[in-house]
């Protein structure tokens, strides 16, 4: 352990770079010279990014120190370990090369997000949080801190990735040490069983477990002179993958921990014949068993028929150290010479029946029924506001009344954490500038002798217009409470500070805020139990975090933190509540000038008109012409163009002219807070996000991006047709990020979250609701109404709707039925020349050779094929057609397509039949109008499926049938 630490610490510069920007070229090396500790391979020569390796080091550091060993000797080493923790905290969003150092299954040099890496990171974070690296003799400055929200994101990500290992690995033996000894990363017994069953079912053989399907490592057909494989090469290894006895040993250890002697005996019996022996008769574990080149074809024809031979590692005096070490552990456990507690002193494994009584710092084992009561403190920003709320029976405290306790914004807490892990000698800065989530702000902090409570990021003053919609604030509060209830796992109650500002109760905002405050008083908000009391009373039941790393010597200047100050207003002066501002009429939101008329006019004329008109919508349009023509710094008599637009933005916000607000926000290039984390929330659920207007080019996001990159994409792709689209897409990303974290089931069947298409679905919904009347304008709706509309369309479609409307909405959401992608795979197996739709071709080869049926990458490839379709209802018909083809092929195994299948032609054929049955429409201009077809029920007589089926069967019968031995039509 000291040796690994020495090698790691010589690369402190890489840790510093990686925690700021986690790129493969900046990561810690995972291979060193055993003699010197030097780096051996460059990043071009070797895949060093393996978060699982660093996580395993941290986990074992805790296990070994807990057993009484001293591993860490000084504070430089403590600060280095703390910085390793900063790197591992981000495992949930950093694709790496995984245990096998190859990344994706195709071995082409591309990293992936691996369940095994995220699981080991989660286990390491749980083990090391609050742990003293100097052991029992340690003091406050040798304690390690973990961001609770980062740990929780790793936990959520692990549960959403499993039972898969990654996008290309449907399952993998690397999951065994993650789910079982040594990490025990999963506390969901159902998901554990599901994942383990899949590993055993797909990978177990007579000689061990395969690492994963189509793994070419050390097979007879692998070209050992090349580092990477060629496209479709992995098909060669199908059925001849090497089998590793190592994983039988992991199953023996798992059986001992879980008290399952039958499992222990089963795998001992399987392992014993596989062991080799030294001259002295000592058992040696071979690294793997392989199929020799001469037997490869026979093995492929009849899987499991050929004898496999052991590798050189584990024979002839060469040891496979990993296997040998785990074998010794398993033998000691099975023979009861050591107990599980001896090799797991921190108690990573907790039996299901004991899971209620765990007392770890924050346990992965929460209570079985989460009946949490959230403690709430209501804080008014001034005494005047406090007095005013008191008249309605709402008891609050002001910042002065909670003294000596201080109230901080979360960004001040972030500033305090900048001092954690700083080490000038090693060139390490402190915690990166990452926001603290609502789990972290629900604790109490002791900082430099002060007691501090924090309010959540949702109460921060924001420059983005969503904060001007009080219904959004109320919704955010309810979401935060739901989130805390679901994910709080610590002993002690969460303390949620609700900050009420005078601005919150202005005009029509007051009544909704008053209703919410009344719900707090009753003790239940949005289905979450709450208990409101004074901060001083609530502290006793809260979780207290001591930030002892902020040690200031006499020579150092103490850092300055800004606490929430009470507004200095006369106590009995009247709260300014303005007359109630209803939502602005549509007329006010419409400009009284035509942009095309004014584009050609001179700057002087535009300025004249700008000064003469009072309509904010018109002013915004005229400003946009000036902005594009003269630039943001063009000076007028009342300031620059940018300052004009900023004033319009503020005034339109106070008048609730949402269309004008959005237009001005887009002109100013506004970016909402938490955009990057919201996209990450979607990605970790195994989805992709696309940004871009409906019908235009879209940008696909598969890996987390920085806010700057996201802003560039949004403002390049989203305001080509309408400037307001750029900010509405940001609203939707924020909403979807929250919804998918709390209710992932609403996105089932949606692999790609296409933001522009979802906006299109919302506009469809407004049209459907309006009937024969003009539809409501999406851009004129308040942010909270937009969110509610989004939630409405995500719900399953109402039965009373026409089929055209249902197909329009489902097509816009890119929803696919259960098992859809697996069925497309089965179609492709019977379509040698591939499928084509809207000009996008999906070939049979190398697709089937490169991929396997259930892997995520194949599903994404199918989505890619469907991406060129420009009509949502037509996309849905294509999805129905593929399901029909699959059922027909399933029921007729003798049939297959001879030529390339053009799905557009099949739909056209079905539509022509439909037209014949329903009489051709008069007038050739209506001949291509498929509205009636789209509005037809899919099943039953004259349903769309019957026309599609007929067209498919016609196409199939044009080809030849495969001969069958038991053909009932054959007479002789």
């Amino acid at each position: 352990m000291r040796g690994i630490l020495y090698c790691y610490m010589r690369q402190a510069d890489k840790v510093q770079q990686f925690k700021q920007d986690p790129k493969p070229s900046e990561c810690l090396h995972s291979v060193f010279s055993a003699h010197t500790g030097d780096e051996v391979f460059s990043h071009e020569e070797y895949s060093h990014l393996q978060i699982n390796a660093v996580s395993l080091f941290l986990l074992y550091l805790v296990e070994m120190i807990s057993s009484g060993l001293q591993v860490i000797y000084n504070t430089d080493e403590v600060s280095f370990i703390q910085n390793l923790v900063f790197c591992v905290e981000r495992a949930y969003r950093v694709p790496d090369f995984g245990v096998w150092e190859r990344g994706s299954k195709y071995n082409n040099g591309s990293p992936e997000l691996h369940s095994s890496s995220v699981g080991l990171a989660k286990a390491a974070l749980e083990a090391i949080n609050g742990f003293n690296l100097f052991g029992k003799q340690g003091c406050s400055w040798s304690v390690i801190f973990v961001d609770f929200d980062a740990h929780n994101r790793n936990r959520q990500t692990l549960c959403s990735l499993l039972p898969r290992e990654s996008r290309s690995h449907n399952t993998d033996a690397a999951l065994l040490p993650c789910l079982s000894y040594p990490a025990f990363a999963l506390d969901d017994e159902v998901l554990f069983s599901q994942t383990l069953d899949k590993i055993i079912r797909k990978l177990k053989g007579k000689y061990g477990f395969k690492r994963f399907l189509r793994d070419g490592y050390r097979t007879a057909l692998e070209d050992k002179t090349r580092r990477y494989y060629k496209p479709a090469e992995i098909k060669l290894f199908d059925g001849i993958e090497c089998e590793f006895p190592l994983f039988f040993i992991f199953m023996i250890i798992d059986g001992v921990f879980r008290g399952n002697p039958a499992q222990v005996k089963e795998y001992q019996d399987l392992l014993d014949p596989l062991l080799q022996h030294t001259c002295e008769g000592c058992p040696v574990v071979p690294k793997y068993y392989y199929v020799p080149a001469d037997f490869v074809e026979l093995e492929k024809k009849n899987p499991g028929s050929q004898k496999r031979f052991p590798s050189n590692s584990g024979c002839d005096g060469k040891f496979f150290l990993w296997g040998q070490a785990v074998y010794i552990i398993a033998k000691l456990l099975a023979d009861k010479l050591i107990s599980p507690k001896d090799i797991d002193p921190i108690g990573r494994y907790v039996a299901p029946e004991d899971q209620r009584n765990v007392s770890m710092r924050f346990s992965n084992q929460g209570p079985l029924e989460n009946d949490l009561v959230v403690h709430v403190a209501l804080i008014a920003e001034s005494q005047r506001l406090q007095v005013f709320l008191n008249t309605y029976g709402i008891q609050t405290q002001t910042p002065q009344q909670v003294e000596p306790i201080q109230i901080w914004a979360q960004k001040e807490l972030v500033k305090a954490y900048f001092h954690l892990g700083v080490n000038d000698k090693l060139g390490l800065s402190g915690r990166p500038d990452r926001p603290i989530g609502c789990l972290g702000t629900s604790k109490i902090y002791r900082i430099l002798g002060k007691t501090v409570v924090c309010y959540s990021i949702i109460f921060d003053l924001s420059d983005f217009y969503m904060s001007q919609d009080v219904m959004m604030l109320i919704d955010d509060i309810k979401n935060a409470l739901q989130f805390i209830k679901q994910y709080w796992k610590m002993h002690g109650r969460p303390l949620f500070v609700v900050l009420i500002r005078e601005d919150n109760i202005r005009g029509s905002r007051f009544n909704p805020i008053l209703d919410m405050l009344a719900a707090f008083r009753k003790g239940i908000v949005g289905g979450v139990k709450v208990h409101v009391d004074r901060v001083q009373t609530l502290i006793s039941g809260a979780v207290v975090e001591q930030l002892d790393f902020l040690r200031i010597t006499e020579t150092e200047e103490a850092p300055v933190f800004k606490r929430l100050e009470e507004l200095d207003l006369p106590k009995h002066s009247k709260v300014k509540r303005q007359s109630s501002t209803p939502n602005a009429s549509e007329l006010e939101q419409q400009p009284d000038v035509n942009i095309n008329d004014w584009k050609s006019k001179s700057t002087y004329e535009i300025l004249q008109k700008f000064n003469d008109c009072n309509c904010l919508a018109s002013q915004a349009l005229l400003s946009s012409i000036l902005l594009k023509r003269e630039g943001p710094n063009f000076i007028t008599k009342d300031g620059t163009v940018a300052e004009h637009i900023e004033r319009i933005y503020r005034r339109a916000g106070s008048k609730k002219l949402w269309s004008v607000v959005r237009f001005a926000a887009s002109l100013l290039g506004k970016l909402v807070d938490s955009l990057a984390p919201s996209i990450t929330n979607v990605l970790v659920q195994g989805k992709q996000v696309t940004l871009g207007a409906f019908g235009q080019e879209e940008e696909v996001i598969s890996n987390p991006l920085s806010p700057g990159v996201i802003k560039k994409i949004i403002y390049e792709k989203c305001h080509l047709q309408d400037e307001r689209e750029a900010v509405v897409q940001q609203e939707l990303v924020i909403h979807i990020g929250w919804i998918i974290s709390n209710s992932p089931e609403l996105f089932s069947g949606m692999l790609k979250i296409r933001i522009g298409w979802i906006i299109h679905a919302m506009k469809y919904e407004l049209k459907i609701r309006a009937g024969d009347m003009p539809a409501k304008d999406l851009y004129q709706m308040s942010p909270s109404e937009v969110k509610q509309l989004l939630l409405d369309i995500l719900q399953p479609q109402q039965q009373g709707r026409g089929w055209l409307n249902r197909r329009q909405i489902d097509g816009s959401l890119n929803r696919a039925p259960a098992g859809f992608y697996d069925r497309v795979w089965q179609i492709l197996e019977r379509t040698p020349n591939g499928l084509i739709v809207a000009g996008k071709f999906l070939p049979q080869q190398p697709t089937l050779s490169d991929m396997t049926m259930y892997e995520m990458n194949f599903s994404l490839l199918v989505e890619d094929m469907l991406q060129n379709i420009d009509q949502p209802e037509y996309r849905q018909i294509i999805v129905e057609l593929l399901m029909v083809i699959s059922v027909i092929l399933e029921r007729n195994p003798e049939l297959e397509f001879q030529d390339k299948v053009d799905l557009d032609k099949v739909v056209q054929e079905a539509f022509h039949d439909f037209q014949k049955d329903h009489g051709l429409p008069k007038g050739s201009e209506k001949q291509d109008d498929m509205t009636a077809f789209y509005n037809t029920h899919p099943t039953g007589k004259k349903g769309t499926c019957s026309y599609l089926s007929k067209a498919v069967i016609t196409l199939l019968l044009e080809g030849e049938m495969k001969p069958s031995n038991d053909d009932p039509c054959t007479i002789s």
Side-chain angles (χ1 to χ4, degrees):
M1 292 297 278
R2 293 285 307 164
I4 295 169
L5 181 62
Y6 168 78
C7 297
Y8 276 173
M9 287 184 72
R10 292 180 66 184
Q11 302 179 61
D13 58 320
K14 289 189 171 68
V15 173
Q16 175 63 16
Q17 290 166 329
F18 187 80
K19 74 178 181 187
Q20 309 290 355
D21 183 14
K23 291 191 296 202
S25 57
E26 309 295 349
C27 72
L28 272 174
H29 279 218
S30 50
V31 175
F32 315 101
S33 162
H35 303 293
T36 63
D38 292 339
E39 298 169 10
V40 179
F41 303 116
S42 70
H43 283 283
E44 290 73 37
E45 297 171 295
Y46 193 82
S47 305
H48 286 288
L49 179 48
Q50 293 165 41
I51 289 169
N52 55 292
V54 181
S55 302
L56 189 65
F57 174 76
L58 293 175
L59 175 60
Y60 256 83
L61 191 65
V62 178
E63 294 275 21
M64 290 168 82
I65 294 169
S66 297
S67 72
L69 295 169
Q70 187 175 357
V71 183
I72 302 298
Y73 291 162
N74 57 49
T75 51
D76 292 340
E77 292 172 1
V78 172
S79 49
F80 182 78
I81 296 296
Q82 181 64 65
N83 276 270
L84 283 187
V85 168
F86 295 147
C87 295
V88 166
E89 281 177 346
R90 282 289 170 100
Y92 67 92
R93 51 170 294 165
V94 180
D96 72 344
F97 292 101
V99 175
W100 312 129
E101 304 166 353
R102 288 188 169 188
S104 84
K105 184 172 74 178
Y106 319 123
N107 187 25
N108 56 10
S110 57
E112 287 189 318
L113 200 61
H114 291 92
S115 298
S116 53
S117 293
V118 176
L120 265 160
K122 170 187 175 282
L125 294 175
E126 282 169 359
I128 207 164
N129 181 52
F131 186 73
N132 200 312
L133 294 179
F134 289 174
K136 290 174 183 171
Q137 292 77 40
C139 45
S140 58
W141 54 80
S142 49
V143 171
I144 295 295
F145 291 81
V146 170
D147 177 356
F148 190 17
D149 291 272
H151 158 265
N152 187 60
R153 286 187 202 104
N154 279 297
R155 195 171 68 76
Q156 282 180 288
T157 305
L158 178 65
C159 291
S160 65
L161 284 172
L162 288 174
R164 294 178 189 277
E165 160 70 338
S166 70
R167 275 186 183 155
S168 66
H169 295 81
N170 184 254
T171 188
D172 196 307
L175 287 167
L176 285 175
C178 164
L179 302 180
S180 184
Y181 172 80
F184 298 105
L186 196 60
D187 46 284
D188 181 334
E189 283 296 311
V190 175
L191 190 53
F192 170 83
S193 301
Q194 192 184 349
T195 309
L196 187 62
D197 289 350
K198 193 177 192 182
I199 295 167
I200 293 169
R201 190 172 72 250
K202 301 230 175 223
L203 305 177
K204 184 179 169 187
K206 280 193 288 192
Y207 297 87
F209 282 76
K210 296 168 182 173
R211 301 194 310 180
F212 52 89
L213 297 176
R214 296 189 175 177
D215 172 25
Y217 179 77
R218 296 293 182 263
T219 57
L221 300 184
E222 185 183 48
D223 182 349
K224 295 171 183 63
T225 62
R226 280 188 287 113
R227 183 179 170 197
Y228 297 133
Y229 295 159
K230 293 173 183 171
E233 191 175 352
I234 62 169
K235 175 72 173 169
L236 296 174
F237 315 125
D238 200 359
I240 60 160
E241 303 93 336
C242 293
E243 294 180 359
F244 289 70
L246 164 74
F247 297 108
F248 284 169
I249 305 171
F250 272 110
M251 293 301 291
I252 292 169
I253 297 174
D254 180 71
V256 174
F257 268 94
R258 294 180 192 279
N260 186 344
Q263 180 178 315
V264 174
K265 177 150 189 347
E266 178 192 348
Y267 285 97
Q268 278 179 328
D269 292 346
L270 288 168
L271 179 68
D272 285 344
L274 306 177
L275 297 174
Q276 303 295 301
H277 291 84
T278 62
C279 308
E280 295 81 26
C282 299
V284 177
V285 180
K287 185 172 183 178
Y288 55 85
Y289 275 81
Y290 67 98
V291 179
D294 296 346
F295 302 158
V296 163
E297 288 309 314
L298 293 167
E299 176 68 17
K300 283 191 171 190
K301 281 178 190 162
N302 187 3
S305 62
Q306 302 304 303
K307 186 183 176 187
R308 289 170 180 254
F309 292 84
S311 63
N312 288 333
S313 300
C315 300
D316 308 326
K318 294 177 186 171
F319 287 110
F320 170 43
L321 292 176
W322 183 14
Q324 204 62 27
V326 178
Y327 174 71
I328 292 166
I329 292 170
K331 199 80 180 122
L332 289 168
L333 283 169
D335 293 347
K336 296 192 168 55
L337 296 170
I338 60 170
S339 72
K341 191 71 188 160
D342 294 323
I343 60 165
D344 181 26
I346 61 168
R348 283 298 309 150
Y349 175 68
V350 183
E353 61 271 16
D354 299 332
Q355 285 185 4
R356 282 177 177 277
N357 312 313
V358 182
S359 58
M360 283 158 61
R361 172 73 175 261
F362 53 73
S363 168
N364 56 336
Q365 321 290 355
L368 297 179
E369 288 299 323
N370 194 348
D371 200 21
L372 182 76
V373 177
V374 179
H375 283 173
V376 175
L378 302 178
I379 305 293
E381 71 172 348
S382 68
Q383 269 197 307
R384 179 173 82 173
L385 179 58
Q386 183 187 35
V387 169
F388 174 75
L389 290 171
N390 208 13
T391 61
Y392 290 90
I394 306 296
Q395 304 291 325
T396 59
Q397 287 177 284
T398 64
Q400 275 185 0
Q401 289 166 350
V402 302
E403 288 181 354
I405 299 163
Q406 295 188 2
I407 300 169
W408 287 9
Q410 64 84 32
K411 60 177 180 276
E412 294 301 307
L413 195 54
V414 170
K415 259 166 58 182
Y417 272 112
F418 284 162
H419 298 267
L420 175 61
V422 175
N423 190 293
D424 296 334
K425 202 189 299 182
L426 295 170
L428 296 170
S429 64
R431 180 181 184 271
D433 187 1
R434 301 170 185 164
I436 306 280
C438 53
L439 298 173
T441 54
S442 298
K443 295 193 274 188
I444 287 170
Y445 293 87
R446 293 280 299 155
I447 303 171
L448 293 172
K450 303 181 186 81
T451 302
V452 174
V453 294
C454 291
Y455 56 84
S456 168
I457 197 168
I458 62 176
F459 298 104
D460 282 356
L461 292 169
S462 169
D463 190 36
F464 200 74
Y465 61 85
M466 284 167 76
S467 62
Q468 294 174 331
D469 182 356
V470 77
M471 297 308 293
M472 280 303 305
L473 175 65
I474 291 168
D475 209 28
D476 284 346
I477 291 170
K478 288 178 180 173
N479 281 338
L481 290 170
Q482 281 283 359
F483 184 81
I484 292 166
K485 179 190 174 187
Q486 193 171 352
Y487 295 114
W488 184 266
K489 305 291 181 191
M490 284 184 276
H491 293 271
R493 295 276 166 83
L495 172 56
F496 187 71
V497 174
V498 175
L499 177 59
I500 309 155
R501 302 182 189 271
E502 291 209 352
D503 190 51
N504 297 148
I505 63 160
R506 297 233 162 103
S508 61
R509 302 173 184 185
F510 178 57
N511 285 339
I513 285 282
L514 192 62
D515 291 344
M516 183 194 67
L517 294 174
F520 273 117
R521 203 173 59 177
K522 285 178 187 162
I524 194 144
V525 178
V528 179
K529 290 180 185 173
V530 295
H531 170 66
V532 181
D533 212 327
R534 295 165 68 250
V535 174
Q536 289 88 334
T537 311
L538 297 176
I539 273 187
S540 60
V543 173
V544 180
E545 189 81 84
Q546 306 270 356
L547 300 197
D548 296 317
F549 53 82
L550 278 160
R551 303 188 308 282
I552 307 299
T553 62
E554 290 175 14
T555 55
E556 286 181 298
E557 200 174 313
V560 178
F561 298 110
K562 193 177 167 194
R563 64 183 181 180
L564 178 69
E565 296 290 351
E566 194 167 306
L567 292 187
D568 191 17
L569 299 163
K571 183 175 177 180
H572 295 293
S573 60
K574 199 159 188 271
V575 175
K576 289 179 187 163
R577 278 205 47 226
Q578 298 169 351
S579 59
S580 181
T581 313
N583 273 339
S585 69
E586 283 198 27
L587 201 61
E588 275 185 278
Q589 305 231 30
Q590 301 298 335
D592 54 14
V593 296
N594 186 322
I595 192 163
N596 294 321
D597 297 345
W598 285 87
K599 270 182 182 172
S600 54
K601 301 209 175 181
S602 70
T603 299
Y604 175 76
E605 287 175 290
I606 292 171
L607 284 169
Q608 282 289 106
K609 178 65 178 173
F610 185 92
N611 292 327
D612 292 346
C613 79
N614 293 321
C615 169
L616 284 174
S618 301
Q619 288 183 5
L621 267 187
L622 295 168
S623 299
S624 74
I625 299 169
L626 285 176
L627 181 73
K628 283 164 192 165
R629 187 185 295 175
E630 308 289 353
N633 300 320
F634 178 68
I635 296 173
T636 68
K637 67 174 186 178
D638 295 322
T640 65
V641 172
E643 287 165 354
H644 271 303
I645 299 171
E646 191 68 53
R647 279 197 290 276
I648 293 166
Y649 177 66
R650 302 264 164 240
R651 286 172 59 203
S654 64
K655 290 188 168 192
K656 297 186 179 173
L657 299 166
W658 296 113
S659 176
V660 183
V661 169
R662 288 185 174 106
F663 186 65
S666 181
L667 294 178
L668 293 164
K670 298 273 185 195
L671 193 72
V672 68
D673 297 326
S674 303
L675 194 60
S678 296
I679 285 181
T680 303
N681 282 351
V682 179
L683 297 177
V684 300
Q685 295 286 341
K687 317 280 186 193
Q688 286 185 330
V689 179
T690 70
L691 298 172
F694 176 81
Q696 304 288 320
E697 188 189 357
E698 295 168 280
E699 183 82 22
V700 180
I701 302 174
S702 305
N703 291 316
L705 299 174
S706 67
V709 176
I710 296 168
K711 181 177 180 177
K712 188 167 179 279
I713 293 169
I714 281 177
Y715 281 100
E716 276 180 6
K717 304 276 183 194
C718 298
H719 70 344
L720 301 170
Q721 291 174 314
D722 190 324
E723 277 87 349
R724 298 169 297 180
E725 178 95 5
V727 287
V728 169
Q729 291 221 2
Q730 294 182 51
E731 282 181 57
L732 284 201
V733 167
I734 294 292
H735 298 329
I736 288 168
W738 261 112
I739 297 166
I740 205 165
S741 290
N742 293 339
S743 308
E745 69 282 356
L746 290 178
F747 293 87
S748 62
M750 295 165 64
L751 203 55
K752 256 188 188 158
I753 311 294
R754 297 172 77 179
I755 306 294
W757 279 57
I758 291 175
I759 289 174
H760 193 63
M762 292 163 82
K763 289 176 180 173
Y764 262 140
E765 180 67 20
L766 292 173
K767 263 190 211 164
I768 295 164
R769 290 180 184 182
D772 298 331
M773 303 293 289
K776 210 171 174 183
D777 183 357
L778 178 73
Y779 301 114
Q780 292 180 5
M781 294 166 69
S782 71
S784 52
E785 289 172 329
V786 168
K787 182 175 184 183
Q788 190 51 54
L789 180 60
L790 171 65
L791 281 165
D792 291 347
I793 64 157
L794 288 173
Q795 301 294 340
Q797 291 295 299
Q798 296 95 322
Q799 292 306 311
R801 288 270 170 95
W803 278 98
L804 169 64
N805 294 338
R806 286 161 78 162
R807 286 186 174 112
Q808 284 171 334
I809 299 287
D810 281 337
S812 296
L813 293 175
N814 283 230
R815 266 199 214 282
F820 170 69
Y821 304 106
D822 302 344
R823 286 181 175 274
V824 176
W825 176 275
Q826 289 162 344
I827 294 168
L828 209 53
E829 287 181 316
R830 311 265 287 279
T831 316
N833 293 302
L835 302 166
I836 187 166
V837 61
K840 271 271 193 184
F841 179 49
L842 181 64
Q844 188 191 59
Q845 294 300 344
T847 309
L848 298 189
S849 298
D850 245 357
M851 299 179 177
T852 47
M853 182 174 179
Y854 301 105
E855 75 180 66
M856 181 76 77
N857 280 348
F858 176 71
S859 308
L860 292 169
L861 199 63
V862 174
E863 278 299 326
D864 195 46
M865 175 184 78
L866 300 174
Q867 186 144 347
N868 272 13
I869 300 171
D870 56 6
Q871 280 185 298
E873 55 271 43
Y874 185 68
R875 182 191 192 278
Q876 215 51 25
I877 288 288
I878 292 290
V879 168
E880 289 170 30
L881 168 61
L882 286 165
M883 294 298 279
V884 164
I885 295 172
S886 159
V887 171
I888 291 171
L889 290 177
E890 196 174 36
R891 292 177 184 173
N892 299 275
E894 74 284 359
L895 296 177
E896 73 170 33
F897 292 103
Q898 298 301 307
D899 297 318
K900 185 189 293 181
V901 177
D902 188 332
L903 299 176
D904 298 316
K905 280 187 180 167
V906 178
V907 172
Q908 279 306 313
E909 206 58 48
F911 177 56
H912 289 322
D913 265 359
F914 174 83
Q915 282 182 311
K916 281 180 202 164
D917 282 2
H918 292 76
L920 283 168
K922 289 171 187 166
S924 58
E925 75 280 354
K926 289 192 174 178
Q927 287 209 334
D928 293 331
D929 182 6
M930 294 176 70
T931 308
F933 187 65
Y934 294 141
N935 210 14
T936 304
H937 197 286
T939 52
K941 192 180 178 186
K942 308 277 184 193
T944 52
C945 285
S946 62
Y947 292 104
L948 293 169
S949 301
K950 188 178 172 188
V952 171
I953 289 165
T954 305
L955 186 64
L956 275 166
L957 294 178
E958 283 173 6
E960 294 175 20
M961 289 196 194
K962 284 192 295 188
S964 169
N965 294 335
D966 52 351
D967 190 340
C969 298
T970 307
I971 298 168
S972 59

